[in-house]
Each structure stands twice: as structure tokens, then as C-alpha cells.
Amino acid sequence: MSTHGTASPTTPSSPVDVPQLTLSDGHALPAIGLGTYRLRGAAGADAVARAIRTGYRLIDSAFSYENEGAVGAGVRDSDVDRSEITVTSKLPGRHHAYDQALAAIEESVYRMGIGPIDLMLVHWPNPLAGRYVEAWQALLEARERGLVRSIGVSNFLPEHLERIIAATGVAPVVDQIEIHPRFPQDEAVRWNADHGIRTEAWSPLGRASGILADPVLQAIAREHGRTVAQIVLRWHVQRGVVPIPKAASPDRQRENLAVFDFALSESDLARIAELARPDGRLKGQDPATYEEF
Ligand SMILES: NC(=O)C1=CN([C@@H]2O[C@H](COP(=O)(O)OP(=O)(O)OC[C@H]3O[C@@H](n4cnc5c(N)ncnc54)[C@H](OP(=O)(O)O)[C@@H]3O)[C@@H](O)[C@H]2O)C=CC1
Ligand SMILES: O=C(O)C(=O)[C@@H](O)[C@H](O)C(=O)CO
């Protein structure tokens, strides 16, 4: 149970049936997923397998997390049919050059060892290095070759999205960006929706920083008899955003999935909107200038 919660979380013991959304390429995307940053090795594989048994059907990974092997092992160990699970990986900035990108994607597929990757994202645009159009072209080729099924991006601003769409005529199905109550990114979410791009939220719980102790969120949690984490995840879901909270323990994994049997009111949403801050990014990683390799 969360130490930040004000009530016992709803923690059903049978697998949760997570609603599915439809991407612009026709494939399904679960409405919530599991983040895996820092879940590695045997403990990571165990956490992923347990999460899938609990009901998670979307697992987020990345070449840079050095855990694609553990994620693949968790998927295999879960005893849930592979076709029911959407596994994401991400191409790192150091491999944006076309040939290197294709080799890195092949490597991600080998590391996971579970067949084609369901959703491959360009991790960061790295606009100063300036090769993200090439990286996007490589993802298109990887899809053509059957290495990956759906393709998208992460941390792309409208200016980056406009450029890759103009260059290739193909829009990503997903843009995974930083979103939490202190940094809701209303304009980016709206821009993506207007262009048929589904927004996913990274660090949806604010990486368990001060957000979970926020008094406004704690009051709303008390009123609904839920934990603060559940209130925040429900807020994402009601905005049409797919959160991918990372949780290592089975209790928290269950707690975070139990957000489909209650709703926040307009007044709750208005109170949460007040928490937004112009400088609300967790680590100041503005994709207009930040470069990650
Ligand atoms: N595309 C990108 O550039 C980025 C993508 N990501 C992806 O997004 C995922 C999620 O973001 P992340 O940065 O991990 O942060 P999250 O916002 O998901 O927060 C994770 C932290 O919250 C804790 N936590 C989870 N559930 C609860 C709960 N119910 N109550 C209290 N604490 C809880 C976790 O603890 P514990 O693990 O101990 O349970 C962990 O410390 C990443 O794991 C990664 O997959 C993240 C950053 C950037
Ligand atoms: O975790 C990721 O996906 C990242 O892109 C990292 O930049 C992460 O945000 C981080 O905090 C690394 O220190």
C-alpha cells in the first residue's frame, strides 16, 4: 500500500481487465502501462512477469535502460499469450544515423527475444544533433522489414513532429512525453490529439517526488477513498493520456491498475489543473534543447 495514500487502495486479487484504445494505425494500445526504468536483471524480469499476471498489457522499455533482456524474460515467464502484450522500446539518440538505427533496432529485437517489437519509439529528438528525420525514416524501414509493428516518438514537440510528417508523410502513432499534475502539457496533448497521435505520459506520478504529498491531491484522494497515486493516474486516463507508472512491488502494481472503477468530477479536474507550474518539469529536460545519447 502507498505510504502517501489516505485510504486503502482498491486492490482486486484477479487480473484487472485494462481498457484498450485504438491507435491511428489500427492497432490496440492498453489505457495504462508499466514503466521499467531501473527495473533490470532477475528482479526486473520478476517484476515484469508479476505485472503482466496482475493485468498489465503494455510494458515500456528502452535500449538505454539496459533492460530489454529482462523485459523479454518477464514477458516469456508471465504465461500470458505474447499476442496480448504490447511491448515498447526506444531508439537512443546515439543511434539516429539511418544504418546505425536499423542495427540498433535489430539488436533490441534480439535482446528482447520475443519476436517483433510492438511499438518502437525514437527516444529523444536531439534537435542540435539534427538527425531525427533520419531516425524516423529508419523506423519506417524497420516496420517495413517486420522488425517492429507500430512506430512512434518520445519527447517530440510539434515543431519536430511537423518536420518528420512533412519529410515522410507518416505521423507517429504515439508521442510519449513528460506529464504529471505539475506539468500537464495541455497544448501538446491537444496538438497530438488533433493530429491523430496518442499521448503517453512518462513519470506520470512525478517519479514519486513531492506530487504524491500534495495537500490538494491528498484531499481529493480522501474524498474518493483512493490513494493519491490512483487519483493522479485517473486524471491521466480522463485526459485521454496513457500513463506508464513504474512500480516494482506487486501491491503498488495492483494499486496503480485500479483506476477504472471511479471517476473524477469536473471540480476535481479544475482543482488538479491549479497545480500546474510553468517550470514544472522534474529535471528541466526541455526537448527543444535537451540532448540524450
Ligand atoms: N521517454 C522518456 O524519455 C522517459 C520515459 N520514462 C518511462 O516512464 C516510466 C515511468 O516514469 P518514472 O520516471 O519511472 O516515474 P513514475 O512517475 O512512474 O514514478 C515511479 C516511482 O513511483 C513509485 N510508485 C509507483 N507507484 C506508487 C504508488 N502507488 N504509491 C507510491 N509510490 C509509487 C515507484 O516506486 P517503486 O518502484 O519502489 O514501486 C517509483 O519510485 C519509466 O519507468 C520509463 O519506462 C521515464 C522517463 C523518461
Ligand atoms: O528514462 C528515460 O527514458 C530518459 O529519457 C531519461 O532521460 C530519464 O528521464 C532520466 O531521468 C535519466 O536520468
Side-chain angles (χ1 to χ4, degrees):
M1 184 193 301
S2 166
T3 51
H4 300 284
T6 50
S8 296
T10 303
T11 54
S13 54
S14 54
V16 177
D17 210 1
V18 173
Q20 302 270 338
L21 307 167
T22 304
L23 296 171
S24 61
D25 65 2
H27 290 294
L29 186 76
I32 191 168
L34 180 79
T36 68
Y37 183 54
R38 295 201 168 130
L39 287 178
R40 292 201 189 105
D46 277 356
V48 169
R50 270 198 315 263
I52 294 170
R53 286 187 211 113
T54 303
Y56 287 84
R57 293 294 179 268
L58 171 63
I59 310 293
D60 186 74
S61 178
F63 190 97
S64 296
Y65 300 169
E66 298 176 344
N67 70 358
E68 289 166 308
V71 166
V75 169
R76 284 192 301 274
D77 293 349
S78 69
D79 295 327
V80 170
D81 196 272
R82 169 72 184 94
S83 65
E84 289 183 30
I85 303 165
T86 299
V87 179
T88 305
S89 193
K90 311 188 196 86
L91 175 73
R94 60 188 175 281
H95 294 315
H96 277 192
Y98 188 82
D99 288 343
Q100 282 181 32
L102 279 167
I105 294 167
E106 283 174 355
E107 185 59 30
S108 289
V109 172
Y110 283 129
R111 288 181 186 183
M112 281 200 177
I114 49 175
I117 290 171
D118 305 288
L119 176 59
M120 177 59 81
L121 311 180
V122 179
H123 202 148
W124 287 89
N126 288 4
L128 303 181
R131 304 192 84 160
Y132 61 86
V133 173
E134 239 181 283
W136 182 241
Q137 287 163 334
L139 259 66
L140 284 163
E141 176 61 20
R143 188 179 64 177
E144 194 62 27
R145 293 186 194 176
L147 293 166
V148 303
R149 194 193 65 194
S150 295
I151 53 175
V153 296
S154 176
N155 299 302
F156 273 47
L157 301 172
E159 68 212 53
H160 310 130
L161 292 162
E162 274 168 351
R163 222 180 126 203
I164 60 171
I165 295 168
T168 64
V170 182
V173 296
V174 156
D175 188 11
Q176 183 186 113
I177 58 179
E178 176 177 356
I179 302 183
H180 37 77
R182 293 205 178 131
F183 196 61
Q185 299 233 51
D186 294 332
E187 277 178 35
V189 172
R190 206 171 310 119
W191 196 97
N192 286 348
D194 288 347
H195 293 78
I197 301 167
R198 176 65 63 176
T199 302
E200 289 186 352
W202 63 255
S203 293
L205 300 173
R207 209 166 259 181
S209 56
I211 289 172
L212 296 183
D214 182 276
V216 171
L217 294 172
Q218 288 190 333
I220 297 173
R222 264 194 310 277
E223 287 156 23
H224 285 270
R226 300 285 170 153
T227 67
V228 174
Q230 288 172 325
I231 297 299
V232 172
L233 294 171
R234 179 69 205 181
W235 168 78
H236 286 287
V237 167
Q238 281 186 223
R239 300 175 82 222
V241 168
V242 174
I244 47 167
K246 178 256 177 182
S249 74
D251 283 354
R252 281 181 173 171
Q253 290 178 352
R254 275 196 180 282
E255 177 184 335
N256 294 349
L257 270 197
V259 296
F260 298 103
D261 58 351
F262 75 104
L264 297 172
S265 66
E266 288 301 322
S267 137
D268 296 331
L269 296 174
R271 286 155 79 196
I272 298 173
E274 294 287 311
L275 305 179
R277 297 177 180 177
D279 60 348
R281 290 183 195 279
L282 289 172
K283 296 169 67 182
Q285 293 168 304
D286 181 349
T289 51
Y290 179 78
E291 307 271 294
E292 185 163 298
F293 294 90

